[in-house]
Amino acid sequence: MTETALAARRARGDGGQLRRRGILAFVMTAFVAVGGVIAAPIAAQAAEEPSIMVGVTEVANERVVFAIEGTGFGDIQALPGQTEPHAYFKLNEVGSDLSEVAQDDTSISASIAEGGTLSDELSVPIGELDASKSYEVISWPSRSFPTEENVYARTAVTIDWDALFPSDEAAVPSFTAEATEFADERVDFAIEGSGFGDVTALPGQTEPHAYFTLIEVDADLSEVGQADTAISASIAEDGTLSDVLEVPADDLDATKSYEVISWPSRSFPSDDNLYARTAVTIDWDALFPEEPSEPAEPSEPAEPEEPVGPTFAAEATEVANERVDFAIEGSGFGDVTALPGQTEPHVYFKLNEVGSDLSEVAQDDTSISAEVAEDGTITDVLPVPAGELDSAKSYEVISWPSRSFPTEENVYARADVTIDWDALFPESDPSEPAEPSEPAEPGEPAEPPEPAEPTEPAEPAEPPDPAEPTDPTEPSEPAEPSEPAEPTEPAEPSEPAEPTEPTDPAEPTEPAEPSEPAEPTEPTDPAEPTGPAEPAEPTDPAEPTDPVEPTEPAEPTDPAEPTDPAEPTEPAAPSEPAAPTATAEPTQETAIELTDGSGNPLDGVAQGGDVTFRIAPVEAGTEFAVTVHSDPVTLPTAVGDADGVATSSWTVPADFPVGDHTVRFVSDTDTYELTFTVLAADAPGGGSGLAPTGSGPATELLAGAGIMTILCGAVLILVRRRVVSASAR
């Protein structure tokens, strides 16, 4: 059977094989056709799979920003509560375990556009990065944690670690200082700096600052003083700065080398705190050009040089036994600039013993802070009490920068002065009238009895009358001696008794207040009438010699004029000079100002407005508790800076009561107050700051002068009446 079967198979031969091949071909054709239909959508689906590209941007010492651009996210659907579909993105260490990703890790949820694209930025702080590791950005479904199964896409990223963590050298402050020369005037150094990003603003500053000044190369930094030419340059957010340092030509020496240094604000430079330093090149020929015309008229060029440097004259006016007023007239101070907190530049002036050590000048020494006008001129008065002067010494007036102590290096100018010591300290005789400083004691006029002696010459005219004139000696008032002249009318000797009335004039003794009544002591000259030959003139107390003509008693009425000497009481006016004493040190008194954000004075501040309370001068570092009353409102603490200024800013509440209020600065040792006005929100503001009112030495002197004027007027009326009465007789 086997053979039969084999034979049958052979009999079928090639025909069976062909049929099998045909079937196989059909099956293969069908498979290919079906495979093509299936493969097409699979290929299409593969083309739409999510993919991302990432751009890297390093922000030095801060963060890395990954710009993500994605495609193929079209199949992702918005979840409940979402207006569009989202996908998560995160920076991940290559090869790390995704199961350790936490909810608070830095990541973003990027929105997907209708076309399946997305664009977003992933910012990663440098604190989360390690230069020794490799990173990739991964993406996975919103509202889930990443796993190896649900990650949409991932791509490795390359970070420029040098750009992210630049070397420290790049952050070191540096600057350039290019010089521009202004012939015979100054040099401007254009400062351009960078790398100052680590400098922070100090209390009271709106931005950080750094000091710059010009010094001689290899100079001792410990000798750099606050009054030296310097600027405080503000630093931008990127650590750069740009400013100009102006240095007067007079501060420069062509034989020396210079450099510009920079150091922290509100401090003095030292080798340890310098930010940076750079040598500078000055074109000396441009700064000090030669003038061929000088040989022709060398004297002429000298003249223009005078105004270059500050000069002044100090003329003395002596107020006997009281003080010396030095009238300051200066020019050439145009280069002096206003210091922080000043509305105009100022200069100090003080009387100093010639050849004395300036380092011994103390803050409480008598001096004035004079204001410099726009044209560089100064006019002021320096009053010096007589008690501070010694006629055995020589004096000079010196001038130096405001807010500093004088040194041989910073003195602007000095001027020798001449004091009339005889006028300041008159001899003892005339000084006796000075005793009238005890005006209440009419006894002082008793001194005038000397003029009474001239009445003796009257004796030659009427011996009997002179006896009566002796009564006039009783009226200690010298003014009455004029009445003794009346005794020249011997017929009425009884009248001499009237001189006893002069005791009323004792009131005029008040004029004695003006220590200057010393002038009235001139009547003592009548003592000269020892030449009785001319007693006739006693009618004019100054010239008692006239009494020789007593026969003309009518003239004695003129003696009323002698009462004019009482006018010397007007010398009380000299007290007016005391007013200058008010100018002695106005700037030295600590005071509070009301200013705006730019430091401009204000008259008041509106509801809802900003105001800065400024107090100066104060010691650096002094802390003040600041409050506004009546209902206390506590403001930020004010701290005195190196310039002697402390400030506290405040935004007035919109409903704060309108009217006058008081701001109070209280330190551990002192309390200062200022009354200011809060205006309605729609009221105009600005103007000069409000200043507290009150009385002072000048007010009291003026009041005293007024009282003296009234008393002197009363005396004149009384004397005139007596003269008229005498004439009637």
Side-chain angles (χ1 to χ4, degrees), residues 97-114:
D97 186 353
L98 296 182
S99 66
E100 296 179 358
V101 174
Q103 189 170 4
D104 57 353
D105 285 351
T106 301
S107 62
I108 60 171
S109 179
S111 60
I112 300 171
E114 291 184 358

Side-chain angles (χ1 to χ4, degrees), residues 207-294:
E207 62 279 315
H209 286 70
Y211 278 151
F212 289 84
T213 191
L214 183 76
I215 67 169
E216 183 180 350
V217 173
D218 296 328
D220 185 352
L221 296 181
S222 66
E223 296 181 358
V224 176
Q226 189 171 6
D228 288 349
T229 301
I231 60 171
S232 180
S234 61
I235 301 171
E237 292 184 2
D238 61 356
T240 62
L241 54 84
S242 181
D243 213 324
V244 176
L245 169 63
E246 296 183 5
V247 180
D250 288 346
D251 291 351
L252 299 170
D253 184 344
T255 64
K256 298 179 179 180
S257 297
Y258 294 93
E259 65 179 345
V260 173
I261 61 173
S262 174
W263 71 97
S265 180
R266 298 182 185 171
S267 69
F268 289 98
S270 69
D271 288 323
D272 301 321
N273 72 350
L274 285 189
Y275 287 136
R277 63 202 311 161
T278 185
V280 295
T281 301
I282 300 172
D283 186 341
W284 298 109
D285 292 333
L287 181 60
F288 301 117
E290 295 182 0
E291 298 182 5
S293 60
E294 291 181 358

Side-chain angles (χ1 to χ4, degrees), residues 591-592 615 629 662-665 671-675 692:
I592 302 174
I615 184 171
H629 301 262
T662 300
V663 61
R664 182 174 300 161
F665 279 65
T671 296
Y672 302 94
E673 294 184 350
L674 170 69
T675 297

